[in-house]
Amino acid sequence: MRKSATTESKVQLRPQTYDLQESNVNLKLTVVHTVGFGDQINKEESYKPILEYIDAQFEKYLEEELKIKRSLFNCHDTRIHICLYFIAPTGHSLKSLDLVTMKKLDSKVNIIPVIAKADTVSKSELDKLKIKIMSELVSNGVQIYQFPTEDEAVAEINSSMNWRMRNHCDFVKLREMLLRVNMEDLREQTHARHYELYRRCKLEEMGFKDTDPDSQSFSLQETYEAKRREFLMDLQRKEEEMRQMFVNKVKETEAELKEKEKELHDRFEQLKRMHQDEKKNLEEKRRELEEEMNSFNRRKVAAETLMGQALQGCSQPFKKDKDKKNFFSLPSACSLTSGRNLN
């Protein structure tokens, strides 16, 4: 486990698989990088994606184990057998994140703490840091992996490595201890300790249990039926909750629609009243305009009548003068006529 050089918004696990071959031995090695571990502002849940990944690999193995036709020897075992927890050489003790994470992981995976970039500090400072780290791990109850010393063939080298963990260690020695000397022990520890703990807890959650010799015999069929009934009841309860939630949602939606409908109706009535008021005002203005036009027409007719009368009154003297002229010229004509007649 190591931190990435770039800042990640969340922890990402990126597995990389390598095919190793030495002499006639083939080894498929998978290294999982925890990119972004400890880079977040809120570091309280940085370890959760790691735990979930480890449990997911246990779950895959358990699913294969529970199959009717199992192939455990041929399946690719993706369980995590070792966690190299890299510790920054800066500071004089472990960070709270390191202690919390290792405490959460020690029941899931074999942990080996490794001081990263140890060549950047002096030998005396490195020794003091290792002593401080081991003291804090012991005081906080963190269980790290110890190289086994029961086998005489590897007891000496493993004892030396256990001592070197408190003194000095390099990459070559660590690779030798992990891949050559103690690889089988790491796999055995993973299967017998960590996986068995996960398997027991998982089966207990599924309703399976062991019985004592004096108690009633264990029936797989009864356990399955009981678990099935429990599952169906839980499913029915969830369906009822969902149905009730749906009914409540429908009621809320209907209430909202009714409220919207009422608002629209009120708005319509308001617009209708405004339209009627405007129509009434327009009718009143139209009547006023018609009355003004009628009044104007009456005044116009009266004015035209008066003007006609005035024009007629001016034309009467002119006719009288014309008649008078004709009257006076008539006797002359008559006299001429009379004279001719006299002659």
Side-chain angles (χ1 to χ4, degrees), residues 27-45:
L27 176 64
K28 186 181 292 292
L29 177 64
T30 300
V31 179
V32 183
H33 300 274
T34 55
V35 181
F37 175 75
D39 292 340
Q40 295 75 30
I41 297 177
N42 184 7
K43 301 179 176 60
E44 294 181 357
E45 298 185 353

Side-chain angles (χ1 to χ4, degrees), residues 147-205:
F147 295 107
T149 57
E150 291 81 7
D151 190 353
E152 296 180 356
V154 296
E156 183 178 355
I157 187 172
N158 281 344
S159 298
S160 175
M161 282 303 298
N162 286 331
W163 177 79
R164 282 177 180 271
M165 290 177 62
R166 293 164 181 84
N167 185 17
H168 179 269
C169 183
D170 58 16
F171 176 76
V172 176
K173 287 291 185 181
L174 181 62
R175 181 185 62 182
E176 180 183 2
M177 297 305 297
L178 295 180
L179 299 181
R180 189 178 67 85
V181 180
N182 297 293
M183 184 175 62
E184 289 301 324
D185 183 73
L186 289 169
R187 296 178 62 182
E188 179 64 25
Q189 287 291 328
T190 298
H191 183 81
R193 179 186 171 194
H194 305 297
Y195 171 71
E196 280 299 320
L197 177 61
Y198 174 84
R199 177 179 174 274
R200 182 171 68 250
C201 295
K202 194 68 176 180
L203 291 178
E204 288 177 353
E205 291 178 3

Side-chain angles (χ1 to χ4, degrees), residues 171-337:
F171 176 76
V172 176
K173 287 291 185 181
L174 181 62
R175 181 185 62 182
E176 180 183 2
M177 297 305 297
L178 295 180
L179 299 181
R180 189 178 67 85
V181 180
N182 297 293
M183 184 175 62
E184 289 301 324
D185 183 73
L186 289 169
R187 296 178 62 182
E188 179 64 25
Q189 287 291 328
T190 298
H191 183 81
R193 179 186 171 194
H194 305 297
Y195 171 71
E196 280 299 320
L197 177 61
Y198 174 84
R199 177 179 174 274
R200 182 171 68 250
C201 295
K202 194 68 176 180
L203 291 178
E204 288 177 353
E205 291 178 3
M206 296 171 63
F208 296 97
K209 59 183 179 179
D210 294 332
T211 57
D212 297 330
D214 298 334
S215 61
Q216 188 177 359
S217 60
F218 173 76
S219 174
L220 183 62
Q221 182 66 25
E222 292 178 358
T223 303
Y224 170 77
E225 291 295 335
K227 197 64 179 180
R228 182 174 179 274
R229 288 192 298 270
E230 182 182 352
F231 173 77
L232 293 177
M233 291 177 62
D234 185 63
L235 182 61
Q236 184 178 2
R237 178 181 59 80
K238 291 182 179 179
E239 289 180 350
E240 181 63 24
E241 291 177 355
M242 293 180 64
R243 188 190 67 80
Q244 188 63 36
M245 186 182 301
F246 176 76
V247 171
N248 295 335
K249 193 65 176 179
V250 170
K251 290 182 179 179
E252 292 176 1
T253 305
E254 289 179 350
E256 292 178 357
L257 291 176
K258 289 181 179 179
E259 184 67 22
K260 294 293 184 182
E261 183 180 2
K262 184 177 180 301
E263 292 178 359
L264 290 174
H265 184 267
D266 295 341
R267 180 62 178 170
F268 173 76
E269 292 295 330
Q270 182 182 3
L271 293 175
K272 184 178 180 181
R273 288 193 297 269
M274 292 175 61
H275 175 71
Q276 291 176 351
D277 294 339
E278 291 179 358
K279 183 178 180 181
K280 184 178 179 181
N281 293 333
L282 290 175
E283 289 292 334
E284 292 179 356
K285 289 182 179 180
R286 186 181 64 81
R287 286 194 298 269
E288 292 176 357
L289 182 61
E290 288 180 351
E291 291 177 359
E292 291 180 357
M293 292 179 63
N294 293 332
S295 177
F296 174 77
N297 290 330
R298 287 194 298 270
R299 289 195 299 270
K300 180 180 178 182
V301 170
E304 289 177 349
T305 302
L306 291 175
M307 185 176 292
Q309 292 177 356
L311 292 174
Q312 185 177 4
C314 292
S315 63
Q316 290 298 329
F318 176 75
K319 289 182 178 181
K320 290 179 179 180
D321 292 340
K322 186 175 180 182
D323 294 339
K324 184 177 181 180
K325 182 178 180 181
N326 293 331
F327 176 75
F328 286 113
S329 62
L330 181 60
S332 298
C334 291
S335 62
L336 291 174
T337 305

Side-chain angles (χ1 to χ4, degrees), residues 87-114:
I87 302 171
T90 57
H92 302 285
S93 61
L94 290 172
K95 299 178 181 179
S96 58
L97 176 63
D98 297 329
L99 289 172
V100 171
T101 303
M102 283 193 279
K103 185 61 180 176
K104 294 290 184 180
L105 290 175
D106 65 357
S107 62
K108 300 284 186 179
V109 66
N110 303 312
I111 301 176
I112 295 182
V114 178

